[in-house]
């Protein structure tokens, strides 16, 4: 197993960046507090994770299993980098893609994948949130460790909104109220 890059840890005191510094859709400006992780930094970190994945796989066939829905952008970008690295190296690694939809992630995925008798099982996640509710599980490849903040964007949603943002952003109280689902609304 190759040496993996360390997770990028974002401190609890990280203020984020002003929305004015980035391209943010006008219809979301009042719904966001700040840009927490800019798109360029996400892509750079994703490329580094792809290099780590390639280093660990050691020429094995990769079966990439994506859990629907959140994370589809990270998944696609990570696989694009893995494929590019494979094409441009002397050791081609075949990649197969499959999808699964789950409500309870960890136990179900680990149980279902065992039926295929894989040589190894590794999990990649763009974000790991520091929260008191955490059960202590850490993915094998993690991009950013972040404080316990309500983040959206880069395919992370709030009631199906904000998936189209390129950056990971912190949602504002205005945004939470505006996009609160009908089922959550009083009355």
């Amino acid at each position: 197993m190759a040496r993996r890059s360390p997770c990028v840890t974002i401190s609890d005191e990280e203020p984020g960046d002003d929305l004015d510094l980035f391209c943010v859709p006008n219809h979301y400006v009042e719904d966001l507090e700040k840009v927490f992780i800019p798109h360029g930094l996400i892509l750079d970190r994703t490329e580094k994770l792809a290099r780590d994945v390639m280093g660990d796989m050691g020429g094995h066939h990769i079966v990439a299993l994506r859990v629907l829905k959140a994370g589809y952008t990270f998944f696609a970008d990570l696989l694009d980098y893995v494929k590019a690295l494979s094409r441009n190296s002397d050791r081609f690694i075949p990649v197969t893609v499959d999808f699964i939809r789950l409500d309870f992630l960890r136990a179900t995925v680990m149980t279902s994948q065992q039926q295929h008798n894989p040589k190894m099982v590794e999990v990649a996640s763009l974000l790991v949130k520091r929260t008191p509710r955490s059960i202590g599980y850490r993915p094998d490849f993690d991009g950013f460790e972040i404080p316990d903040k309500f983040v959206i964007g880069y395919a992370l949603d709030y009631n199906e909104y904000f998936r189209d943002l390129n950056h990971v952003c912190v949602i504002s109280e205005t945004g939470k109220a505006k996009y609160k689902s009908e089922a959550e609304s009083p009355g």
Side-chain angles (χ1 to χ4, degrees):
M1 177 168 56
R3 182 170 175 242
R4 294 182 185 159
S5 61
C7 178
V8 175
T9 301
I10 299 175
S11 75
D12 290 343
E13 294 79 30
E14 172 59 42
D17 294 306
D18 290 335
L19 299 175
D20 296 343
L21 300 173
F22 300 93
C23 293
V24 175
N26 288 336
H27 59 276
Y28 286 144
V29 170
E30 292 182 6
D31 306 324
L32 306 172
E33 279 184 19
K34 57 191 164 188
V35 172
F36 205 56
I37 308 173
H39 187 243
L41 184 56
I42 294 168
L43 292 179
D44 189 71
R45 184 67 186 134
T46 303
E47 181 179 6
K48 183 62 178 142
L49 291 176
R51 292 173 185 272
D52 290 348
V53 167
M54 290 290 287
D56 268 21
M57 292 297 111
H60 297 291
H61 181 142
I62 296 174
V63 177
L65 180 64
R66 187 177 74 73
V67 179
L68 301 174
K69 292 187 190 177
Y72 65 83
T73 306
F74 170 65
F75 182 81
D77 288 345
L78 182 65
L79 283 184
D80 284 347
Y81 283 123
V82 165
K83 290 175 190 175
L85 289 167
S86 179
R87 278 192 308 268
N88 296 315
S89 75
D90 57 352
R91 56 179 194 142
F92 172 75
I93 298 178
V95 177
T96 304
V97 178
D98 206 350
F99 303 89
I100 187 169
R101 185 177 183 119
L102 302 170
D103 291 325
F104 182 65
L105 177 65
R106 186 171 163 239
T108 307
V109 170
M110 297 308 181
T111 302
S112 68
Q113 58 75 31
Q114 291 299 335
Q115 68 187 355
H116 300 291
N117 197 26
K119 289 186 174 48
M120 65 176 66
V121 176
E122 309 232 314
V123 177
S125 178
L126 179 66
L127 304 175
V128 175
K129 193 179 284 190
R130 286 187 306 277
T131 173
R133 298 176 305 280
S134 172
I135 60 171
Y137 175 76
R138 292 296 294 222
D140 301 290
F141 304 97
D142 46 2
F144 300 91
E145 180 181 294
I146 65 170
D148 191 9
K149 296 190 183 293
F150 195 141
V151 295
I152 40 80
Y154 197 66
L156 300 171
D157 74 301
Y158 179 56
N159 292 325
E160 297 300 322
Y161 293 93
F162 303 106
R163 290 189 192 275
D164 55 332
L165 284 171
N166 286 332
H167 315 288
V168 171
C169 298
V170 176
I171 191 171
S172 69
E173 291 303 318
T174 303
K176 288 178 192 175
K178 182 177 179 181
Y179 296 105
K180 190 175 190 177
S181 75
E182 296 298 318
E184 296 174 21
S185 299

